[in-house]
Each structure stands twice: as C-alpha cells, then as structure tokens.
Amino acid sequence: MPLPVPPSLGAFSLSRCFKRLAAAWFAVNAAALTAGGPFNTTEYAAALPSWLWVAGTAGVFLLLSLPALRSRHPLDDYYLLGGSLLYGVGLVGSYTGAASYGFVGVVLLALALLWYPLLKQPDFHPFPFSMPRKAALIGTAVCGVLLAAVTGTVTCLRYANYQSPNYDFGLFCQMFHYLKETLLPLTTSERNQLLSHFAVHLSPIWYVLLPAYCLFPSPYTLQIAQAVVLALGLIPLYLICRKRGLSPKATLAFSGLYALYPALSTGAFFDIHENCFLPPLLLTLFACYEYGKYKGLFLAAAGVLLVKEDAAVYLLFFALFLFFSEKERRRALWLAGMGIGYFLLAILWLQWQGEGAMFGRYDNLTGTEGLLSLPDTLLRNPGFFLTQLFHTDSGDGGKLLYLFQLLVPLAGLPVLARRPGRLLLLAPLLLNLLTQYRYQYDIGFQYSFGIAAFLFYAAVLNTSELPPRWRPRLLLYAGAACLLLFQTAVLPFLNNQVALVRENAALNAQLDEAMDAVPEGASVTASTMFVPHLSQRDVLYELTYHPTPDTDYLVLDLRPAYQSESMAEAAPFLEAGYEVVACWEDAAAILRAPAEG
C-alpha cells in the first residue's frame, strides 16, 4: 500500500506547479492590460520590463502556492481556469482592432483548447460546492435585476440623450398618450394621419402595460417596462430547469446565461417593442407543456398571439415540434389551428383597417407573386431556399455572425440534441435567415427575442439529457462565452450612453428647455429624435415623412449630426412663412406658423 503524500509535497508536483505557474502568468498579463495602451501592437510588449514580468509571475505563483500547502484538494485547476478567463476578459475588454467578434471567437477557441484537458479529468468538479434550491432561486432573482438594470439603464439613457427616434419609440410614446386618454391605440406620427396602431400591427398585448403607464405617464416608464418584461422570462425558465431535473447549480447557470445573453439585452437597445413579450410568453408556453398544465398552455398561446400578427408562426413551429418529436398530435393540431386561425383573422383585420400585413421583408422569396407562391416554390425549387439562407444583399457574412452570436453564448447546447426531433426547436431561425431584411439577422434589434426563447428551451432539454459529468463542464464554458460576448455586445452600449450623459449634460439641458418651450396641446412637426420628447400631444408628425406645413410649430434638431438634414427638410415650412421664435445654437430651434390673415 503506497504511503500518503503530504499536501505540502504534493502541492509541488511538476503538473501542479506548471498549472499554478501558468495561472500566475495569465494573472500578471491580465494586470498588465490595465496599465493602458493597445496590446495589439508590437510596442506593447516592449513597454513591459522583463524583470517586472518575471518578478510579478513569481510573486503570484508563491501567493497561489500558500493555500496548496494546507489543502488536500488541489486548487491548481481552478487557478488555471480563473487566470485564463481573467486574461480573456482583459483581452476582449482592451481590444481596439476591427472584427471584434472574430477576436472573441479566437479567444474562446484558445480557452477551449486550454480547458479541454482540465475539463475531461473524471475527478474534476467545475462547481465544487453544494447549493440549496433557495439559493438558486435568490440567484435567479438577482440575475433578473441585473438584466433589467442594464437594459433599462441603456434605453433610458438613450432617451435622455435624445437618441431615440420616432420609429419605433416616438410612435409608441404617442400611442400610450392616446391609450391613457382614450383607451384607443391611436397615433399621428406613424402614418402621418390619425390612425390606430392596430391598423399597422395588431398588438393588443400593449394594454398590459397601460396601468403602469397611467401611474407614471412618461417615456421612461415604457423603457423600464420593457426591461422588466424581458427579465420575467427567468421565471418560466427556472421552472423548466427544475422540471427537467437540473440541479440548483445548473439552474442558476441558465439564469446567468439568460441575464448575460447578448441578443436579449441588445435587442432592447433600439427602444421598446412589442416583441419584448415573446421571451416570457413563449417560455411560459414551454413551461406549461413541461408541467402538463394544458389550460395554461393555451392561455400562454393566446398571449403569444396577442403580441403581433406574425407571432402565430412561433406557435406553428412549436406545434410541429409537439407533433413530430413529442407525438402530442392532438394538442399540436389544436395549437396549429389556433395559430393559423388567428393569423388569417389578423390579416383580414389589417387589410380592412390599414394597408395589409407587412410581408415585404420576404420579397426575396416571393417576388411579385405574394406569399401564396411560397408552397409552389418550395416544392418545385427547394434549392432556391438554400441559396437564401446565408445570402445577404451586401454580400457579407452577416448571417454567419448572427448564428455565432446566438449559439456560441450557449456553447452550442441547442444543437446537441440526442433526439433529431429536438432540432425542430431551431426551425424559427428560418424566419431570420431566409430574409434579406438585415435587421432580422442583427441582434441589435428586437427580431431575435422569439428565437432566443426557443434556443434556451432547446438548451435546457439537451442539457438534461447529457451525461451528468458533462453538464457542468459545458455550462462553465457557456458562461465564459456569454461573459465575453456580453463584454463585446452589451457593455459598449452602456459605457457609450453613460459617457454621453456626462459629455452632453449642458446640451441635453438646452434640449430639455427647448422641449418645454413648445406649448402643450399645440400641433407639432419635429425632427425624429425630438418626437418621443413631444409625444404627450394629439397631433405630432415626424418631419422626414411629413414635409407639409400644416402644424402650429416646427421643432428642428440643430445638433451638428442632424442639422443639415433638418434644415433641408424644413424648406417648405420656411417658404410658408414659419418664423423662428426660439433658438439654441447647435441644439434646437422652434418655428411658429404664421398667424392666419
């Protein structure tokens, strides 16, 4: 029987020393990044004295060795994981070159190669601690607060910095003004006439936010509400994880991934949109199915339909999953019928009340023949659809980048399906990939909210069927990937808006003064970024789309980035005799219509 090795001797075995030395090296390099200067230049390394680098590495190595002298549980693997991740975070945060997502991909590949030998060790435990269910629940709540805080802060600062345009924020602000006053979703700034927003998009779900808006009638309320609605998706996600038998640690890991998932935060950064309801409602739909709560399932399905006329497509995709993968054919047919029926009624409503449904985003598939030609094209020329999956009008790799941004933060878990039928949960991606409308394959807009819910559901299902040894390992890597992409996609927005508030404090104060100077109740035509701030009135138009001088006031954006455009568009008003009644240099100007003869 071999004699036990004292901890003090085992701590200095060759492999453990190597791991601690590598961890120390990573830590020193991470610290060096904070000294400033771009690391992606040859001058960077020359500026760091060799003796300081060697001494720092040796010092950190000795500090890391002290706990190893007493511990019988090797900490070296965790040192190496932590040190390399710290350096990766530092690299991504300091990177100033082009193709930032490409650089993140390289860093993640390097981490994967470095971590794989550690993670495949059978006795390695990525999360070597116990966690009660209550702690996971509290952690999930914290994740929700984090998501709501970051998202709400960015969008509120966008509004405060006068960077939220009429489309789509200004028109929603005016719509809520009308909802508060009349209970009708009317706008004038959307189609240059008094018209129900539901004649453009059928979204009765907006009434859910009306009580909060009536209590706090402000555009800020709408931005905060969107952030809270997105965070509510954590509740059904938590329940799905629990139903699928995931441990509290794995459940908390998924909550963290949801909070950091770039497509959720950045999708909200173009201000409030009805699609923000899709993640919580779709995840509630999935949770009700998991728990066998079929009344709740159909109530959640009804909620999804109320988001928007095209949200019915998500129900159809889920019905396909239930029919072919889960063999729940009766309920699948009910869901499909419910979705198709509502969709047809919604289209008829839009044809009757407005200009019909907006299907132009798929003109690349239909040409001039309309949606009815899709089945015929699919049957007779399926290869054409394959050509559209990754084609973009600009010929770039935008759709491949989009897939990278969606799947890498989840470590590819949505595609690691043991049952091929599970891949049907990825089918909603077709909505984003088959179009040439570039906003639908850009995580900076709201069109990724629906697919995000499907991806998280698929990731939980697939994780629950992985060998128990590999669940925490893949979740650990997913956490690292999500963190680095959060750094790249989300934090720059937050930092930029905070910086603008500080730099433009005086300018924003002038703009606030200008907005307050416009009489309440007066009809107004305004530059796009001013529309949300003037939305508490019945008659309001965006100057770009309403060059007709028929309102009491014209409010122009004179900031250098917008001034030339505003002045060119203002020509018809100046010709009609509008006079400047107030002006703030490089900020705003208020023009009043001439008095009637």
Side-chain angles (χ1 to χ4, degrees), residues 7 46 316 451 585:
L316 295 181
I451 184 57
E585 185 177 0

Side-chain angles (χ1 to χ4, degrees), residues 264-349:
L264 290 176
S265 295
T266 59
F269 289 170
F270 204 68
D271 308 308
I272 193 172
H273 193 278
E274 63 264 13
N275 282 6
C276 70
F277 288 95
L278 287 174
L281 286 172
L282 285 170
L283 287 168
T284 299
L285 177 78
F286 305 150
C288 288
Y289 171 69
E290 289 292 320
Y291 282 86
K293 304 294 184 181
Y294 297 116
K295 289 183 180 180
L297 173 78
F298 287 102
L299 284 174
V304 172
L305 293 175
L306 295 179
V307 171
K308 203 175 178 182
E309 64 277 359
D310 57 10
V313 180
Y314 293 113
L315 282 191
L316 295 181
F317 281 124
F318 187 59
L320 285 174
F321 166 73
L322 293 182
F323 191 92
F324 290 105
S325 180
E326 304 298 293
K327 311 304 181 187
E328 289 272 5
R329 297 200 166 109
R330 183 169 63 87
R331 292 188 179 91
L333 290 174
W334 274 106
L335 273 180
M338 186 176 175
I340 293 172
Y342 182 84
F343 181 73
L344 293 176
L345 289 174
I347 298 305
L348 289 174
W349 168 271

Side-chain angles (χ1 to χ4, degrees), residues 231-423:
L232 289 176
L234 281 164
I235 298 174
L237 180 63
Y238 175 91
L239 294 174
I240 294 170
C241 290
R242 186 168 184 177
K243 179 63 178 177
R244 280 287 162 171
L246 296 186
S247 68
K249 288 183 285 188
T251 300
L252 181 57
F254 268 109
S255 297
L257 294 177
Y258 186 93
L260 295 174
Y261 194 60
L264 290 176
S265 295
T266 59
F269 289 170
F270 204 68
D271 308 308
I272 193 172
H273 193 278
E274 63 264 13
N275 282 6
C276 70
F277 288 95
L278 287 174
L281 286 172
L282 285 170
L283 287 168
T284 299
L285 177 78
F286 305 150
C288 288
Y289 171 69
E290 289 292 320
Y291 282 86
K293 304 294 184 181
Y294 297 116
K295 289 183 180 180
L297 173 78
F298 287 102
L299 284 174
V304 172
L305 293 175
L306 295 179
V307 171
K308 203 175 178 182
E309 64 277 359
D310 57 10
V313 180
Y314 293 113
L315 282 191
L316 295 181
F317 281 124
F318 187 59
L320 285 174
F321 166 73
L322 293 182
F323 191 92
F324 290 105
S325 180
E326 304 298 293
K327 311 304 181 187
E328 289 272 5
R329 297 200 166 109
R330 183 169 63 87
R331 292 188 179 91
L333 290 174
W334 274 106
L335 273 180
M338 186 176 175
I340 293 172
Y342 182 84
F343 181 73
L344 293 176
L345 289 174
I347 298 305
L348 289 174
W349 168 271
L350 293 173
Q351 291 283 2
W352 174 45
Q353 290 290 314
E355 301 174 358
M358 298 172 62
F359 294 132
R361 295 166 187 174
Y362 295 96
D363 282 348
N364 60 307
L365 302 179
T366 62
T368 59
E369 300 177 10
L371 284 179
L372 294 179
S373 67
L374 278 178
D376 182 61
T377 303
L378 182 60
L379 288 172
R380 294 198 294 167
N381 188 14
F384 172 71
F385 287 84
L386 298 180
T387 68
Q388 300 302 296
L389 277 175
F390 295 102
H391 174 72
T392 63
D393 285 341
S394 59
D396 59 15
K399 292 182 179 179
L400 290 173
L401 173 61
Y402 182 66
L403 288 177
F404 174 86
Q405 293 167 327
L406 291 179
L407 295 175
V408 169
L410 294 173
L413 286 168
V415 303
L416 298 180
R418 299 184 67 180
R419 294 161 50 187
R422 288 269 171 82
L423 294 176

Side-chain angles (χ1 to χ4, degrees), residues 460-524:
V460 172
L461 296 185
N462 294 340
T463 300
S464 69
E465 295 181 352
L466 286 173
R469 186 167 75 90
W470 278 103
R471 292 179 195 173
R473 288 161 168 77
L474 284 173
L475 287 174
L476 175 65
Y477 187 74
C482 212
L483 178 61
L484 294 186
L485 283 166
F486 181 86
Q487 254 190 298
T488 303
V490 179
L491 288 185
F493 279 93
L494 179 60
N495 295 335
N496 180 56
Q497 293 301 324
V498 171
L500 285 176
V501 163
R502 293 171 178 169
E503 295 169 8
N504 296 338
L507 172 62
N508 290 340
Q510 286 183 319
L511 294 176
D512 291 340
E513 183 182 349
M515 300 304 110
D516 291 339
V518 181
E520 293 183 9
S523 60
V524 176

Side-chain angles (χ1 to χ4, degrees), residues 92-107:
V92 171
S94 304
Y95 186 66
T96 57
S100 57
Y101 285 104
F103 180 69
V104 172
V106 171
V107 173

